Amino acid sequence: MKLRLLIEFTKRDFTERYSGSILGVGWSFISPLVNIMIYTLIFSKIMSARMPGVEGDYSYSIYLVSGLIPWLAFANTVSRSSTVYLDKKHIISKVNLSLFRLPMFIVISETITFLITMAIFLGFLLVIDYQLSLAMLILPFIYVVQQIFAFALGFIIAQLTVFIRDLKEFTAIVMQIWFWFTPIVYVVAIVPGSLSQLMVYNPVYSFIKIWQSVFVYHSIPDLSGLMIITLIAHCLLIMAFLMYRVLEKDIRDFL
């Protein structure tokens, strides 16, 4: 797929998402702004939620939002990529597209949404006199790793979903369970010992805890788990490509 076509798919993704609305793409700024304001006001001002050992009225809100923003980028990339062939089958049947590159427009689209939301979040932090730290310099690398993992996982599911349509609904359920199994809304300290030990097997927790640690504690935690996830992400990507080489013709025939 040519770069120009990939950019066109990305543009269409935004225009179709907000088609028929008066503000159009403006909602991509309004929605995250409203969500951030709701989370901060409800948890910080109304519920007076605080992070143990961390000073500041907004400590829990920062913990929540700093984990939620990257999670949404990851989860939306996996979920939307998993159905991309079914969603675009009317185009695939008419145009000779690279099925391997097609899900990339979703990664780009979700990255743009992520950058907009993160920019609004950083703007909020500056308003409350939050002190930025050098630890934030590692975050672009963390994002790249998580999106490689999301793309590879979504690409594998997308190929299988063509043949097993129930995977579409199954993936949605798994992503919902995965969210609550990841310490985003709650802190890992409150999880029972036997269950907390399973967290090391949750690949998403490996990068979510880095986002939260950087924003809440201004520090970078142990990166050994992330190195393993980086290896797994690239292995999944290779496996996804090998599957594609074997199944490409069958995928086009089924669609």
Side-chain angles (χ1 to χ4, degrees):
M1 184 188 298
K2 295 181 180 180
L3 179 60
R4 185 176 63 182
L5 191 56
L6 195 62
I7 295 174
E8 183 61 30
F9 269 115
T10 305
K11 288 181 180 178
R12 277 192 189 181
D13 186 51
F14 274 94
T15 55
E16 290 175 0
R17 193 183 309 180
Y18 303 106
S19 62
S21 62
I22 297 176
L23 296 179
V25 180
W27 284 109
S28 61
F29 293 89
I30 297 173
S31 295
L33 175 61
V34 171
N35 287 334
I36 290 173
M37 293 302 296
I38 289 174
Y39 289 134
T40 53
L41 288 176
I42 290 179
F43 288 105
S44 298
K45 297 301 182 182
I46 299 178
M47 297 181 63
S48 298
R50 301 290 184 271
M51 284 292 294
V54 181
E55 297 182 356
D57 294 340
Y58 298 97
S59 58
Y60 176 76
S61 296
I62 293 173
Y63 173 86
L64 173 62
V65 176
S66 64
L68 191 60
I69 293 175
W71 162 262
L72 289 175
F74 171 83
N76 289 341
T77 300
V78 174
S79 299
R80 298 182 62 211
S81 296
S82 67
T83 61
V84 66
Y85 296 145
L86 299 181
D87 296 338
K88 300 296 181 182
K89 63 180 180 180
H90 60 288
I91 297 177
I92 295 173
S93 61
K94 297 177 183 177
V95 183
N96 186 21
L97 299 173
S98 169
L99 299 184
F100 180 70
R101 296 187 179 93
L102 181 58
M104 289 183 181
F105 86 87
I106 294 175
V107 178
I108 297 173
S109 177
E110 291 302 328
T111 297
I112 294 173
T113 302
F114 167 83
L115 291 174
I116 292 172
T117 309
M118 184 57 68
I120 293 173
F121 180 48
L122 290 174
F124 164 76
L125 294 179
L126 292 176
V127 169
I128 63 173
D129 293 328
Y130 173 89
Q131 297 297 317
L132 304 181
S133 68
L134 291 177
M136 290 183 178
L137 295 177
I138 198 175
L139 295 181
F141 171 72
I142 307 302
Y143 182 79
V144 170
V145 170
Q146 74 173 57
Q147 290 306 93
I148 291 175
F149 185 81
F151 171 77
L153 187 59
F155 184 36
I156 290 174
I157 300 173
Q159 296 178 74
L160 297 176
T161 302
V162 173
F163 309 103
I164 309 172
R165 301 300 172 93
D166 289 346
L167 278 178
K168 177 180 179 181
E169 310 303 329
F170 180 74
T171 300
I173 294 173
V174 169
M175 296 308 296
Q176 189 173 16
I177 295 173
W178 203 346
F179 171 77
W180 289 107
F181 186 63
T182 305
I184 298 175
V185 177
Y186 57 90
V187 294
V188 71
I190 69 172
V191 178
S194 58
L195 186 58
S196 64
Q197 293 175 1
L198 295 176
M199 290 296 176
V200 297
Y201 301 105
N202 181 356
V204 178
Y205 179 53
S206 295
F207 56 77
I208 289 295
K209 70 177 181 180
I210 297 175
W211 287 93
Q212 293 173 332
S213 180
V214 167
F215 277 101
V216 177
Y217 302 105
H218 303 280
S219 64
I220 301 174
D222 179 31
L223 297 179
S224 57
L226 181 69
M227 296 301 104
I228 296 175
I229 297 305
T230 303
L231 179 61
I232 293 175
H234 285 83
C235 288
L236 280 177
L237 192 60
I238 294 172
M239 185 172 75
F241 181 72
L242 294 177
M243 283 181 60
Y244 165 72
R245 294 290 297 272
V246 174
L247 298 176
E248 180 185 9
K249 185 178 182 302
D250 292 330
I251 290 173
R252 293 184 185 277
D253 290 341
F254 266 76
L255 291 174

